Amino acid sequence: MIDLDIDMRQYDCPFIDTTDDVDIAFSAVQWQLDTDDESLETRLIAKGGSVGALDAGLRELREHPNMTECYILSKRDAVAQIGTTIEETNAMRTIDRNGGYITGPFQIEDGRERWHVGFDDDQDEDHALADLERHNEFTVEDRDQLGPTALFDLLENSESAIGLLEGCRSLTETERTTFEAACKNGYYETPRETTLEELAAQFDVSKTAVSMNLRRGERKVLKAALSALESLEDAKTC
């Protein structure tokens, strides 16, 4: 299986048009493409930059000419879970007619959409990408080719992967940016290529604050990693 991570700009997508005009982002939770009806039914999380931005974004989404149905399932502050049905876009039609399929959730923000698309062989992939170029703007950000063994391993250990992902998501913005800066600047290299003092100067905080942010981030990531390793070991003994 060939798995592509595509940064997409469609010119007939209601979600992309809405995020172009309003400070709102969408993340797919569930989706169902009906090729006979030429429509896509989705459940999404909509997150606005504010309550007003969320309301404005949903209003614009409902008024889009390619939107068939848009309703709110739940709403709290600037976040809502919504259900939608849209007309099949050119890109969706192109992927489907060239043997492609969606392999993961898609995210839409700032007029761009992140797609995860799979193909069974190189020829289908080449034809689909060539057709996409005619009516869409896109960049292939990543490409993986997975054999049956790798796919089985991925599916078998999906719970471990989800646990590790949740551990990373539990990082606060400060913990994440501090952790990233430390890694990129060689703090964890031997010998170290940066110091706590240099990191503190980069964030304009004290050396103690940087150390505490790193330790909190390390604890969260290591706890998730150890839990994932335990799950892998349990799977081996079954």
Side-chain angles (χ1 to χ4, degrees), residues 96-112:
D96 179 65
R97 290 181 179 177
N98 285 280
Y101 39 86
I102 303 298
T103 59
F106 51 88
Q107 297 85 33
I108 310 103
E109 189 171 8
D110 296 328
R112 309 290 302 185

Side-chain angles (χ1 to χ4, degrees), residues 55-67:
D55 292 339
L58 295 181
R59 184 166 54 251
E60 182 163 329
L61 195 63
R62 291 190 188 99
E63 294 172 355
H64 195 281
N66 283 4
M67 178 61 65

Side-chain angles (χ1 to χ4, degrees), residues 6-232:
I6 303 177
D7 181 66
M8 176 80 72
R9 167 80 180 182
Q10 300 185 69
Y11 296 109
D12 56 352
C13 175
F15 304 112
I16 288 179
D17 288 345
T18 299
T19 62
D20 247 346
D21 301 329
V22 183
D23 183 14
I24 190 171
F26 301 98
S27 296
V29 178
Q30 297 173 322
W31 60 94
Q32 178 65 50
L33 178 62
D34 187 336
T35 54
D36 292 331
D37 194 42
E38 296 186 343
S39 65
L40 175 71
E41 183 178 347
T42 57
R43 299 289 184 275
L44 305 101
I45 300 298
K47 184 176 182 180
S50 65
V51 174
L54 175 66
D55 292 339
L58 295 181
R59 184 166 54 251
E60 182 163 329
L61 195 63
R62 291 190 188 99
E63 294 172 355
H64 195 281
N66 283 4
M67 178 61 65
T68 304
E69 184 179 26
C70 178
Y71 51 92
I72 296 175
L73 296 167
S74 63
K75 182 181 176 185
R76 182 174 180 180
D77 299 326
V79 179
Q81 182 180 9
I82 64 173
T84 69
T85 302
I86 69 171
E87 295 180 9
E88 187 179 50
T89 65
N90 173 269
M92 292 158 49
R93 189 178 306 110
T94 298
I95 294 295
D96 179 65
R97 290 181 179 177
N98 285 280
Y101 39 86
I102 303 298
T103 59
F106 51 88
Q107 297 85 33
I108 310 103
E109 189 171 8
D110 296 328
R112 309 290 302 185
E113 184 172 11
R114 202 74 172 201
W115 273 29
H116 300 278
V117 181
F119 296 94
D120 291 326
D121 58 57
D122 294 336
Q123 188 174 18
D124 286 343
E125 176 195 6
D126 291 341
H127 288 164
L129 295 182
D131 286 347
L132 278 178
E133 285 183 331
R134 297 175 184 173
H135 301 286
N136 303 274
E137 175 191 332
F138 69 91
T139 302
V140 177
E141 299 289 346
D142 195 21
R143 182 185 189 275
D144 291 316
Q145 190 154 7
L146 304 174
T149 302
L151 281 172
F152 182 80
D153 189 41
L154 180 63
L155 294 172
E156 189 178 41
N157 297 297
S158 60
E159 289 187 9
S160 298
I162 291 171
L164 187 57
L165 180 61
E166 289 303 317
C168 293
R169 283 178 173 162
S170 71
L171 294 174
T172 66
E173 181 69 15
T174 299
E175 290 165 354
R176 183 185 63 79
T177 55
T178 306
F179 205 7
E180 287 178 349
C183 291
K184 290 178 181 177
N185 288 289
Y187 180 75
Y188 295 104
E189 298 296 327
T190 305
R192 283 180 173 167
E193 298 172 2
T194 192
T195 64
L196 286 176
E197 289 88 348
E198 290 169 334
L199 289 171
Q202 180 176 339
F203 291 100
D204 195 23
V205 297
S206 69
K207 175 181 171 180
T208 301
V210 168
S211 179
M212 290 178 62
N213 287 329
L214 285 176
R215 287 181 180 275
R216 282 195 295 261
E218 289 164 358
R219 275 198 301 271
K220 291 178 180 179
V221 173
L222 285 173
K223 183 179 179 180
L226 288 173
S227 179
L229 287 172
E230 289 173 1
S231 297
L232 289 174

